[in-house]
Amino acid sequence: MLSRIAEALFWIGRYVERADDTARILDVHLQVLLEDSWINEDLACRSLLSVMGIEAPKGSVGRGRVVELLVGDEANPTSIVGALGAARDNARGARQIVSAEMWQVLNTSWTVLPEVRRDSVSVHELLAWVHERAAMVAGVADATMSHDDCWHFLVLGRSLERADMTARLVATRSIAGGPSWTHLMRSCGAHQAFLRTYRGAGGDENEAEFLLLDRLFPRSVYAALTAAETALQHLDPVRGRSGVGEEARRVIGRARTGLEYRGAAELLTDLPTEMWRIQRACSQASDAVLRRYFPESVATPWVAEVTS
């Protein structure tokens, strides 16, 4: 397989997941602002932009400005429109590998996006549409692509992005006017699965444990890191007698075990720092993948979280 094709699939996985998770984070943030009129909107919006790695503009920052930056900025690959456009461009460059059905979903999503933005009754309706299209891409890819190396590059990109974005979502828990754990669960589609798993027993520790450490829920940080590690194992099996020679696997493995062997109560004591470590590990692993498999490429990394 050509390095160019593998790289395109890796970034398709990342960009589609980025659009989906950005929509999830923005949706829960807007819902919290709507429900609690006592929240300092400017401070909450600036904190959210910081978590998302976007420097807040000068002057007052409200929900309209946040929507503009996280949804409609075509030049920014961290926005929903920018990510969907980048995913479509990468799919166009890998048409010989991407199935016709998958290309049709990505191309149609990009083509009708301006119309959906214009006709949506509310921002929440637009964000729900983004969820549906991302789920459709994932389902079509799963059903129409051979699960060979091409597939594993797609899953690798998606899993790294998911772990990073779930960590960012959890990090919003500690910002000014941040969402409750229940809001975070709902934004990840995890609330019903959580209630079934814990039989209705809530509490910050149980909810944090589920979203960070659950092995069976696919959007948990632990499950996403495990999926990325498994994809790398298929792409480059360990052949030596000791250790793991592949740098990306070492980085992801350290991050995964750092979660696996620590309880939720310990993670909650310094949640922002722990989530920053996950984001840093995902960034380092992505850089290692680019060096290992796409040495001629120019990386398109996540912007680091803005610190004041």
Side-chain angles (χ1 to χ4, degrees), residues 21 24 33 43 45 70 106-107 120-122 126 128 164 171 174 192-193 215 233 245 252 257 260-261 270 303:
D21 291 342
R24 293 176 182 277
L33 288 178
L43 179 58
C45 290
L70 293 181
L106 286 167
N107 189 50
S120 294
V121 176
S122 66
L126 170 62
D164 179 282
S174 59
Q192 289 184 329
R215 289 182 171 84
Q233 185 176 4
I252 294 173
T257 54
E260 186 176 12
Y261 294 101
D270 192 6
V303 181

mmCIF file of all heavy atoms in Angstrom, residues 21 24 33 43 45 70 106-107 120-122 126 128 164 171 174 192-193 215 233 245 252 257 260-261 270 303:
data_model
loop_
_atom_site.group_PDB
_atom_site.id
_atom_site.type_symbol
_atom_site.label_atom_id
_atom_site.label_comp_id
_atom_site.label_asym_id
_atom_site.label_seq_id
_atom_site.Cartn_x
_atom_site.Cartn_y
_atom_site.Cartn_z
ATOM 1 N N ASP A 21 -16.856 14.796 17.410
ATOM 2 C CA ASP A 21 -16.620 15.109 18.821
ATOM 3 C C ASP A 21 -16.663 16.604 19.099
ATOM 4 O O ASP A 21 -17.062 17.021 20.188
ATOM 5 C CB ASP A 21 -15.276 14.524 19.258
ATOM 6 C CG ASP A 21 -15.307 13.005 19.312
ATOM 7 O OD1 ASP A 21 -16.414 12.440 19.351
ATOM 8 O OD2 ASP A 21 -14.237 12.379 19.312
ATOM 9 N N ARG A 24 -20.182 17.287 19.594
ATOM 10 C CA ARG A 24 -20.628 16.816 20.905
ATOM 11 C C ARG A 24 -20.235 17.794 22.006
ATOM 12 O O ARG A 24 -21.041 18.128 22.890
ATOM 13 C CB ARG A 24 -20.039 15.433 21.194
ATOM 14 C CG ARG A 24 -20.568 14.328 20.293
ATOM 15 C CD ARG A 24 -19.884 12.997 20.548
ATOM 16 N NE ARG A 24 -20.370 11.975 19.638
ATOM 17 C CZ ARG A 24 -21.472 11.267 19.814
ATOM 18 N NH1 ARG A 24 -22.208 11.463 20.897
ATOM 19 N NH2 ARG A 24 -21.845 10.358 18.938
ATOM 20 N N LEU A 33 -25.126 26.471 28.967
ATOM 21 C CA LEU A 33 -25.348 27.923 28.964
ATOM 22 C C LEU A 33 -26.837 28.252 28.908
ATOM 23 O O LEU A 33 -27.290 29.229 29.524
ATOM 24 C CB LEU A 33 -24.633 28.556 27.777
ATOM 25 C CG LEU A 33 -23.105 28.638 27.831
ATOM 26 C CD1 LEU A 33 -22.561 29.258 26.547
ATOM 27 C CD2 LEU A 33 -22.643 29.441 29.040
ATOM 28 N N LEU A 43 -16.664 34.140 30.310
ATOM 29 C CA LEU A 43 -15.628 33.297 30.920
ATOM 30 C C LEU A 43 -15.777 31.848 30.491
ATOM 31 O O LEU A 43 -14.785 31.173 30.171
ATOM 32 C CB LEU A 43 -15.703 33.412 32.440
ATOM 33 C CG LEU A 43 -14.695 32.579 33.242
ATOM 34 C CD1 LEU A 43 -13.262 32.928 32.857
ATOM 35 C CD2 LEU A 43 -14.927 32.758 34.744
ATOM 36 N N CYS A 45 -17.146 30.686 27.740
ATOM 37 C CA CYS A 45 -16.803 30.524 26.325
ATOM 38 C C CYS A 45 -15.294 30.598 26.107
ATOM 39 O O CYS A 45 -14.735 29.845 25.302
ATOM 40 C CB CYS A 45 -17.512 31.583 25.494
ATOM 41 S SG CYS A 45 -19.303 31.345 25.371
ATOM 42 N N LEU A 70 -16.029 27.266 16.099
ATOM 43 C CA LEU A 70 -15.979 25.799 16.164
ATOM 44 C C LEU A 70 -16.801 25.108 15.084
ATOM 45 O O LEU A 70 -16.626 23.915 14.847
ATOM 46 C CB LEU A 70 -16.447 25.318 17.540
ATOM 47 C CG LEU A 70 -15.554 25.676 18.726
ATOM 48 C CD1 LEU A 70 -16.121 25.109 20.014
ATOM 49 C CD2 LEU A 70 -14.130 25.175 18.519
ATOM 50 N N LEU A 106 -19.213 10.841 2.331
ATOM 51 C CA LEU A 106 -18.362 11.990 2.631
ATOM 52 C C LEU A 106 -18.616 13.138 1.656
ATOM 53 O O LEU A 106 -18.714 14.305 2.066
ATOM 54 C CB LEU A 106 -16.893 11.576 2.575
ATOM 55 C CG LEU A 106 -16.389 10.735 3.751
ATOM 56 C CD1 LEU A 106 -15.027 10.126 3.424
ATOM 57 C CD2 LEU A 106 -16.301 11.570 5.020
ATOM 58 N N ASN A 107 -18.729 12.816 0.389
ATOM 59 C CA ASN A 107 -18.936 13.856 -0.619
ATOM 60 C C ASN A 107 -20.308 14.515 -0.461
ATOM 61 O O ASN A 107 -20.437 15.747 -0.550
ATOM 62 C CB ASN A 107 -18.801 13.253 -2.017
ATOM 63 C CG ASN A 107 -18.790 14.315 -3.099
ATOM 64 O OD1 ASN A 107 -18.048 15.292 -3.036
ATOM 65 N ND2 ASN A 107 -19.638 14.141 -4.107
ATOM 66 N N SER A 120 -31.165 24.794 9.034
ATOM 67 C CA SER A 120 -31.346 24.255 10.387
ATOM 68 C C SER A 120 -32.085 25.256 11.265
ATOM 69 O O SER A 120 -31.766 26.455 11.271
ATOM 70 C CB SER A 120 -29.989 23.925 11.017
ATOM 71 O OG SER A 120 -29.355 22.869 10.335
ATOM 72 N N VAL A 121 -33.074 24.766 11.991
ATOM 73 C CA VAL A 121 -33.853 25.631 12.878
ATOM 74 C C VAL A 121 -33.002 26.153 14.025
ATOM 75 O O VAL A 121 -33.165 27.278 14.482
ATOM 76 C CB VAL A 121 -35.078 24.859 13.416
ATOM 77 C CG1 VAL A 121 -35.851 25.707 14.422
ATOM 78 C CG2 VAL A 121 -35.974 24.418 12.277
ATOM 79 N N SER A 122 -32.070 25.333 14.500
ATOM 80 C CA SER A 122 -31.199 25.709 15.620
ATOM 81 C C SER A 122 -29.820 25.104 15.414
ATOM 82 O O SER A 122 -29.629 24.215 14.567
ATOM 83 C CB SER A 122 -31.787 25.225 16.944
ATOM 84 O OG SER A 122 -31.798 23.805 16.985
ATOM 85 N N LEU A 126 -28.268 21.306 13.690
ATOM 86 C CA LEU A 126 -27.076 21.150 12.850
ATOM 87 C C LEU A 126 -26.093 20.170 13.472
ATOM 88 O O LEU A 126 -25.542 19.300 12.787
ATOM 89 C CB LEU A 126 -26.414 22.513 12.649
ATOM 90 C CG LEU A 126 -25.027 22.516 11.998
ATOM 91 C CD1 LEU A 126 -25.094 21.944 10.584
ATOM 92 C CD2 LEU A 126 -24.450 23.921 11.974
ATOM 93 N N ALA A 128 -26.714 17.768 15.598
ATOM 94 C CA ALA A 128 -27.271 16.414 15.522
ATOM 95 C C ALA A 128 -27.060 15.820 14.134
ATOM 96 O O ALA A 128 -26.779 14.621 13.987
ATOM 97 C CB ALA A 128 -28.763 16.442 15.867
ATOM 98 N N ASP A 164 -8.243 11.610 22.329
ATOM 99 C CA ASP A 164 -7.892 13.014 22.544
ATOM 100 C C ASP A 164 -9.141 13.843 22.822
ATOM 101 O O ASP A 164 -9.195 14.638 23.769
ATOM 102 C CB ASP A 164 -7.151 13.542 21.325
ATOM 103 C CG ASP A 164 -6.764 15.007 21.456
ATOM 104 O OD1 ASP A 164 -7.640 15.887 21.276
ATOM 105 O OD2 ASP A 164 -5.596 15.280 21.719
ATOM 106 N N ALA A 171 -12.225 17.330 30.201
ATOM 107 C CA ALA A 171 -11.550 18.508 30.751
ATOM 108 C C ALA A 171 -12.498 19.688 30.895
ATOM 109 O O ALA A 171 -12.281 20.560 31.748
ATOM 110 C CB ALA A 171 -10.357 18.890 29.872
ATOM 111 N N SER A 174 -14.064 20.837 34.396
ATOM 112 C CA SER A 174 -13.447 21.679 35.416
ATOM 113 C C SER A 174 -13.375 23.152 35.029
ATOM 114 O O SER A 174 -12.846 23.957 35.787
ATOM 115 C CB SER A 174 -12.022 21.165 35.710
ATOM 116 O OG SER A 174 -11.239 21.177 34.531
ATOM 117 N N GLN A 192 -27.283 5.918 28.763
ATOM 118 C CA GLN A 192 -28.046 4.683 28.921
ATOM 119 C C GLN A 192 -27.143 3.497 29.223
ATOM 120 O O GLN A 192 -27.465 2.653 30.063
ATOM 121 C CB GLN A 192 -28.878 4.417 27.671
ATOM 122 C CG GLN A 192 -30.046 5.382 27.493
ATOM 123 C CD GLN A 192 -30.902 5.040 26.293
ATOM 124 O OE1 GLN A 192 -30.391 4.511 25.302
ATOM 125 N NE2 GLN A 192 -32.186 5.330 26.368
ATOM 126 N N ALA A 193 -26.009 3.425 28.543
ATOM 127 C CA ALA A 193 -25.058 2.340 28.810
ATOM 128 C C ALA A 193 -24.545 2.417 30.239
ATOM 129 O O ALA A 193 -24.379 1.382 30.912
ATOM 130 C CB ALA A 193 -23.894 2.413 27.823
ATOM 131 N N ARG A 215 -13.867 -0.710 29.767
ATOM 132 C CA ARG A 215 -13.244 -1.471 28.676
ATOM 133 C C ARG A 215 -14.210 -1.755 27.528
ATOM 134 O O ARG A 215 -13.769 -2.020 26.408
ATOM 135 C CB ARG A 215 -12.717 -2.809 29.212
ATOM 136 C CG ARG A 215 -11.496 -2.700 30.107
ATOM 137 C CD ARG A 215 -11.030 -4.085 30.543
ATOM 138 N NE ARG A 215 -9.749 -4.022 31.214
ATOM 139 C CZ ARG A 215 -9.596 -3.747 32.511
ATOM 140 N NH1 ARG A 215 -10.661 -3.521 33.250
ATOM 141 N NH2 ARG A 215 -8.393 -3.696 33.048
ATOM 142 N N GLN A 233 -0.671 -2.778 16.465
ATOM 143 C CA GLN A 233 -0.156 -4.150 16.565
ATOM 144 C C GLN A 233 -0.374 -4.914 15.262
ATOM 145 O O GLN A 233 0.477 -5.684 14.831
ATOM 146 C CB GLN A 233 -0.830 -4.865 17.729
ATOM 147 C CG GLN A 233 -0.275 -6.263 17.982
ATOM 148 C CD GLN A 233 -0.897 -6.903 19.210
ATOM 149 O OE1 GLN A 233 -1.790 -6.327 19.831
ATOM 150 N NE2 GLN A 233 -0.436 -8.087 19.562
ATOM 151 N N GLY A 245 9.312 -2.124 20.038
ATOM 152 C CA GLY A 245 10.214 -1.219 19.330
ATOM 153 C C GLY A 245 9.525 -0.027 18.711
ATOM 154 O O GLY A 245 10.173 0.981 18.419
ATOM 155 N N ILE A 252 1.302 5.054 23.565
ATOM 156 C CA ILE A 252 -0.089 4.715 23.841
ATOM 157 C C ILE A 252 -0.178 3.710 24.993
ATOM 158 O O ILE A 252 -1.056 3.812 25.860
ATOM 159 C CB ILE A 252 -0.761 4.153 22.580
ATOM 160 C CG1 ILE A 252 -0.856 5.240 21.507
ATOM 161 C CG2 ILE A 252 -2.150 3.616 22.903
ATOM 162 C CD1 ILE A 252 -1.343 4.737 20.171
ATOM 163 N N THR A 257 -1.905 2.157 30.350
ATOM 164 C CA THR A 257 -1.645 1.556 31.663
ATOM 165 C C THR A 257 -1.706 2.597 32.768
ATOM 166 O O THR A 257 -2.046 2.279 33.910
ATOM 167 C CB THR A 257 -0.272 0.859 31.678
ATOM 168 O OG1 THR A 257 0.750 1.782 31.255
ATOM 169 C CG2 THR A 257 -0.264 -0.348 30.752
ATOM 170 N N GLU A 260 -5.295 2.432 33.426
ATOM 171 C CA GLU A 260 -5.779 1.110 33.823
ATOM 172 C C GLU A 260 -5.475 0.788 35.280
ATOM 173 O O GLU A 260 -6.290 0.172 35.975
ATOM 174 C CB GLU A 260 -5.154 0.047 32.917
ATOM 175 C CG GLU A 260 -5.676 -1.356 33.137
ATOM 176 C CD GLU A 260 -5.084 -2.333 32.135
ATOM 177 O OE1 GLU A 260 -4.117 -1.976 31.444
ATOM 178 O OE2 GLU A 260 -5.613 -3.453 32.051
ATOM 179 N N TYR A 261 -4.312 1.206 35.752
ATOM 180 C CA TYR A 261 -3.893 0.835 37.096
ATOM 181 C C TYR A 261 -4.072 1.969 38.107
ATOM 182 O O TYR A 261 -3.424 1.993 39.145
ATOM 183 C CB TYR A 261 -2.437 0.361 37.068
ATOM 184 C CG TYR A 261 -2.287 -0.924 36.285
ATOM 185 C CD1 TYR A 261 -1.804 -0.909 34.981
ATOM 186 C CD2 TYR A 261 -2.681 -2.143 36.829
ATOM 187 C CE1 TYR A 261 -1.691 -2.079 34.248
ATOM 188 C CE2 TYR A 261 -2.572 -3.313 36.109
ATOM 189 C CZ TYR A 261 -2.078 -3.278 34.820
ATOM 190 O OH TYR A 261 -1.978 -4.448 34.098
ATOM 191 N N ASP A 270 -6.933 15.408 40.292
ATOM 192 C CA ASP A 270 -6.324 16.431 39.432
ATOM 193 C C ASP A 270 -6.724 16.142 37.993
ATOM 194 O O ASP A 270 -5.894 15.817 37.152
ATOM 195 C CB ASP A 270 -4.804 16.426 39.601
ATOM 196 C CG ASP A 270 -4.153 17.662 38.963
ATOM 197 O OD1 ASP A 270 -4.900 18.551 38.501
ATOM 198 O OD2 ASP A 270 -2.915 17.734 38.922
ATOM 199 N N VAL A 303 -4.007 21.749 17.773
ATOM 200 C CA VAL A 303 -3.402 22.897 18.436
ATOM 201 C C VAL A 303 -3.384 22.619 19.922
ATOM 202 O O VAL A 303 -4.342 22.122 20.482
ATOM 203 C CB VAL A 303 -4.220 24.180 18.150
ATOM 204 C CG1 VAL A 303 -3.594 25.386 18.811
ATOM 205 C CG2 VAL A 303 -4.351 24.388 16.662
#
